[in-house]
Amino acid sequence: MRKLAFQDELRGLQNRRYFDAALNSSLNDRNEVHEGALLLMSIYDLQGINQRLGFDAADEILTMAALILKECAGTMDGTVVARLSGGDFAVMLENISQVEADQLADALCLEMMRLHTTGMLDTEQVCHVGFAMYHSGMTYSEILSRSDNALQLARTQGVNSWAVYAAHEETESSLPGRREWQGIVREAIEYENIVLHAQPVVSTGDRETLLRRETLSR
């Protein structure tokens, strides 16, 4: 039951529930100081892979990605390798320096190219990696947001790129991370800060007849 609750059985990795518990435990341990790096890896355009190659091929790609992650990071002490959802993976690395984390991110992006060179993936655009350093006392949402911002930065830097969160580069205009956006959306729903707009849909051959209305939320 524990295995079913905390493991992604198909990939052989921990799941999101286990990862969340492990990261929170590391950040909130009052008896010991913990520090390390939180690394996020995202397979590029998983939906497109499903459409082009089929679900079975996509499953094989995810399984190989999990294997590469375990090969690159899974042997280190205090490491949790997890699949969060879809093509998104996370690695929590305790007692690792930024130089070591840099080397791991670089090696991971290089190793992930095996998905293309072995013919499993039909494009050189395989993945992106972002990570941030953390220490005890930080909040779960803070470190996850930093890592997610680094991942978004990696996506703007080109094919199979990686990036690290740098506090001195953060400005007031920085885009919120995924976790922050979730909070923004939940708050908008809770306080009903949503406006609906309806637009008519008509046929190009008969613009006078209303077929339906499409409702957009803003």
Side-chain angles (χ1 to χ4, degrees), residues 97-129:
S97 67
Q98 182 168 332
V99 172
E100 293 171 319
D102 286 348
Q103 293 170 346
L104 174 61
D106 199 42
L108 183 56
C109 287
L110 184 62
E111 286 298 311
M112 286 294 290
M113 279 298 294
R114 284 159 49 187
L115 294 174
H116 173 66
T117 57
T118 58
M120 294 182 69
L121 195 55
D122 59 347
T123 174
E124 293 183 354
Q125 182 74 290
V126 179
C127 72
H128 293 96
V129 173

Side-chain angles (χ1 to χ4, degrees), residues 114-203:
R114 284 159 49 187
L115 294 174
H116 173 66
T117 57
T118 58
M120 294 182 69
L121 195 55
D122 59 347
T123 174
E124 293 183 354
Q125 182 74 290
V126 179
C127 72
H128 293 96
V129 173
F131 76 90
M133 305 304 294
Y134 73 86
H135 55 79
S136 298
M138 295 179 68
T139 65
Y140 172 91
S141 58
E142 181 182 9
I143 180 57
L144 207 59
S145 177
R146 289 186 176 190
S147 297
D148 190 58
N149 281 334
L151 180 61
Q152 303 310 318
L153 176 59
R155 286 174 173 148
T156 68
Q157 294 180 166
V159 177
N160 305 321
S161 299
W162 64 271
V164 56
Y165 173 86
H168 65 274
E169 294 179 358
E170 190 175 58
T171 66
E172 291 183 359
S173 61
S174 296
L175 291 175
R178 186 180 307 175
R179 299 288 295 190
E180 291 177 86
W181 274 118
Q182 288 176 352
I184 291 170
V185 172
R186 288 196 187 99
E187 184 175 303
I189 293 172
E190 181 179 355
Y191 293 101
E192 299 182 356
N193 293 330
I194 295 174
V195 178
L196 299 181
H197 296 266
Q199 62 183 19
V201 178
V202 298
S203 169

Side-chain angles (χ1 to χ4, degrees), residues 198-203 206-214:
Q199 62 183 19
V201 178
V202 298
S203 169
D206 179 11
R207 300 196 177 193
E208 299 300 320
T209 302
L210 178 67
L211 299 178
R212 63 181 182 276
R213 294 184 184 275
E214 291 183 348

